[in-house]
Amino acid sequence: RSKLTKFKLIGSFIVRKIVRRAFTGLELIFLFAGVSLPLVTIDEFWFFTSNFSILSLIFTLFQSGESILGALLVVFCVFIPFYKSFSRIISEERFEKIPLHKFAMIDMFLISFLIFGSKMSYFYEVRLEEGFYFLCAYLLMSYFSTILNYLQIKQTSSKKNL
């Protein structure tokens, strides 16, 4: 191969790596916003209104003595998503093989269950807040990053076989 071809390959590799890290950084910003901003607002009995974020829900669970449920939310809604994204930034190959994406939707499942309950009840109503939309944006970006990573690994392995 010529030096120019090698330079182009190295340049495109570096650009792809920078774009991937910037994309993952944006993903982390969306995740942080989704976890810390209000997720839903609940109107109960037409008089009481409360809103909560994932972080405020976790603190409330620990304060009320529901440590196991709080710990589960910390692990599945905070730790695993942040860890998965950070492992992509630092290119930690061994952790990318762990199927952490299977646990990424547990918070969305809980929110959908809450919304379904509100639709079936006359006693409370649920409104989605900005944290929910940031969390959705994070999930979409996370899946997109996972697909791009898979395609890059597949492309690299096919080039090695040639």
Side-chain angles (χ1 to χ4, degrees), residues 40-44 48-52 114 124-127:
V40 295
T41 297
I42 300 175
D43 296 325
E44 301 174 74
F48 305 106
T49 299
S50 61
N51 63 5
F52 62 89
L114 184 66
Y124 71 98
E125 182 181 321
V126 175
R127 288 189 319 267

Side-chain angles (χ1 to χ4, degrees), residues 74-92:
V74 166
V75 169
F76 290 114
C77 296
V78 178
F79 179 73
I80 287 177
F82 273 106
Y83 188 72
K84 184 176 78 166
S85 295
F86 276 124
S87 69
R88 258 190 258 131
I89 286 178
I90 60 172
S91 299
E92 189 63 42

Side-chain angles (χ1 to χ4, degrees), residues 30 33-41 51 127-137:
F30 283 153
V35 168
S36 59
L37 290 174
L39 205 55
V40 295
T41 297
N51 63 5
R127 288 189 319 267
L128 299 174
E129 298 291 336
E130 60 270 7
F132 173 80
Y133 298 107
F134 277 110
L135 207 53
C136 284

Side-chain angles (χ1 to χ4, degrees), residues 13-31:
F13 174 76
I14 291 171
V15 168
R16 275 187 276 151
K17 197 169 195 172
I18 290 171
V19 168
R20 193 170 97 176
R21 286 190 177 167
F23 195 75
T24 304
L26 187 61
E27 180 183 316
L28 281 167
I29 291 169
F30 283 153
L31 177 60

Side-chain angles (χ1 to χ4, degrees), residues 9-154:
L9 287 174
I10 291 171
S12 68
F13 174 76
I14 291 171
V15 168
R16 275 187 276 151
K17 197 169 195 172
I18 290 171
V19 168
R20 193 170 97 176
R21 286 190 177 167
F23 195 75
T24 304
L26 187 61
E27 180 183 316
L28 281 167
I29 291 169
F30 283 153
L31 177 60
F32 180 75
V35 168
S36 59
L37 290 174
L39 205 55
V40 295
T41 297
I42 300 175
D43 296 325
E44 301 174 74
F45 298 111
W46 306 282
F47 299 114
F48 305 106
T49 299
S50 61
N51 63 5
F52 62 89
S53 66
I54 291 177
L55 289 180
S56 67
L57 180 63
I58 290 169
F59 288 128
T60 302
L61 287 171
F62 279 116
Q63 287 174 349
S64 64
E66 298 291 338
S67 301
I68 294 173
L69 189 55
L72 285 172
L73 285 177
V74 166
V75 169
F76 290 114
C77 296
V78 178
F79 179 73
I80 287 177
F82 273 106
Y83 188 72
K84 184 176 78 166
S85 295
F86 276 124
S87 69
R88 258 190 258 131
I89 286 178
I90 60 172
S91 299
E92 189 63 42
E93 305 283 327
R94 62 183 169 179
F95 294 116
E96 288 182 8
K97 295 177 183 176
I98 300 171
L100 294 177
H101 64 278
K102 293 181 179 181
F103 302 108
M105 293 296 287
I106 195 165
D107 41 7
M108 291 297 169
F109 171 73
L110 294 173
I111 293 167
S112 64
F113 204 63
L114 184 66
I115 293 170
F116 173 76
S118 76
K119 299 297 181 195
M120 301 304 288
S121 173
Y122 294 109
F123 300 111
Y124 71 98
E125 182 181 321
V126 175
R127 288 189 319 267
L128 299 174
E129 298 291 336
E130 60 270 7
F132 173 80
Y133 298 107
F134 277 110
L135 207 53
C136 284
Y138 157 74
L139 287 171
L140 290 174
M141 291 181 75
S142 175
Y143 285 136
F144 187 67
S145 290
T146 303
I147 290 168
L148 286 178
N149 194 27
Y150 172 75
L151 292 175
Q152 183 178 357
I153 290 170
K154 190 174 180 180

